[in-house]
Amino acid sequence: MIQIREATKEDIPFITALFRDTIQNVNSKDYSEKQIEVWASGANDIEKWEERIESLYFIVAEQDDTITGFAYLKNGNYLDGLFVHKDYQRQGIASKLLRVMESYAIGEGFEEMRSDVSKTALPFFENHYFDVIKKQKKPFKGIVFQNYLVSKAL
Ligand SMILES: CC(C)(COP(=O)(O)OP(=O)(O)OC[C@H]1O[C@@H](n2cnc3c(N)ncnc32)[C@H](O)[C@@H]1OP(=O)(O)O)[C@@H](O)C(=O)NCCC(=O)NCCS
C-alpha cells in the first residue's frame, strides 16, 4: 500500500540517500561516470533540500515506513524532481506521485504541467502523455547534461 504525504525536514536523510542511490544505480545507465558523480553530489547540499521542503509542494511515497519515492513542484506546475527508490522501480510509485502533482496543479488553476526530464525518465513521461518540446543540453556544476523539456495539458 503506497501512502503519499507531504515531506518534512526529518525525511531529509532518507530523501537524500534515495536521490544518491537512484542516480548511481538507475540513471547510471544513461549518463557518464563524471555526470553521475556531479549529479549525485547534489544529495550533500542539505540546506537546499531544507529550502525545497519549506518552500515547494514536496511529497513522499511511503510503504511500510520506507520512503520509496518523492517529487516536488515549483511555481505550482513545474515538476522539478521525481525520484523512485532503486529497489522499487516499475511498481507504479512515480505514476502515483505524478497523479497527486497533477491534481494539485489543477487545483491551483493551471492548465499545463512542465518538466525538464532525464534520458532515463523520458519513457515514463511519454507513457504519461507528456510531449517533448525540446531536447537540450543543460550545464550543472560545470558539466553538461542532456535532458528534455516536456509538457502536458492538464
Ligand atoms: C522515471 C522514474 C521516476 C519512474 O518511476 P517508476 O515508479 O518506476 O515508474 P512507474 O512504475 O510508475 O511507471 C509507469 C509506466 O511508465 C513507463 N516506464 C517507467 N519507467 C520506464 C523505463 N525505464 N522504460 C520504459 N518505460 C518506463 C512504463 O510504461 C511503466 O509501466 P509498466 O511498468 O507497467 O510498463 C524512475 O525510473 C526513476 O526514479 N528514475 C531515475 C530518476 C530520474 O531520472 N528522475 C527524473 C528526474 S529528471
Side-chain angles (χ1 to χ4, degrees):
M1 172 80 165
I2 307 167
Q3 308 273 10
I4 307 286
R5 63 167 172 81
E6 280 198 53
T8 69
K9 285 188 187 172
E10 285 66 47
D11 298 322
I12 289 176
F14 307 100
I15 287 170
T16 53
L18 186 159
F19 175 82
R20 187 184 299 109
D21 288 350
T22 296
I23 291 170
Q24 288 173 345
N25 293 279
V26 179
N27 296 104
S28 52
K29 69 175 168 54
D30 297 308
Y31 292 90
S32 73
E33 221 171 286
K34 186 68 197 165
Q35 286 172 319
I36 292 301
E37 187 190 321
V38 167
W39 192 2
S41 73
N44 304 330
D45 192 348
I46 302 302
E47 265 179 35
K48 183 99 188 170
W49 290 99
E50 284 176 350
E51 191 186 305
R52 287 183 180 127
I53 287 176
E54 261 172 27
S55 61
L56 306 180
Y57 182 55
F58 196 133
I59 56 173
V60 296
E62 212 167 31
Q63 282 160 274
D64 305 322
D65 288 334
T66 300
I67 290 180
T68 54
F70 67 85
Y72 49 96
L73 202 60
K74 213 181 222 173
N75 302 329
N77 73 335
Y78 175 78
L79 188 65
D80 201 18
L82 175 66
F83 287 81
V84 168
H85 193 296
K86 69 175 174 59
D87 299 332
Y88 292 80
Q89 297 278 316
R90 303 296 284 264
Q91 296 182 21
I93 295 167
S95 300
K96 192 153 185 184
L97 287 164
L98 180 64
R99 266 202 305 281
V100 174
M101 288 309 196
E102 288 177 354
S103 304
Y104 180 88
I106 290 167
E108 294 287 297
F110 291 98
E111 293 177 354
E112 184 197 24
M113 182 165 281
R114 283 195 173 211
S115 190
D116 286 295
V117 309
S118 66
K119 282 188 248 180
T120 322
L122 186 62
F124 168 82
F125 283 93
E126 287 180 328
N127 179 271
H128 289 80
Y129 308 104
F130 280 79
D131 295 320
V132 174
I133 299 176
K134 62 176 174 187
K135 184 175 167 180
Q136 53 196 8
K137 289 190 167 35
K138 282 244 165 157
F140 177 63
K141 293 190 182 175
I143 304 270
V144 173
F145 288 77
Q146 189 192 302
N147 69 14
Y148 302 84
L149 173 63
V150 297
S151 155
K152 172 183 183 173
L154 296 174

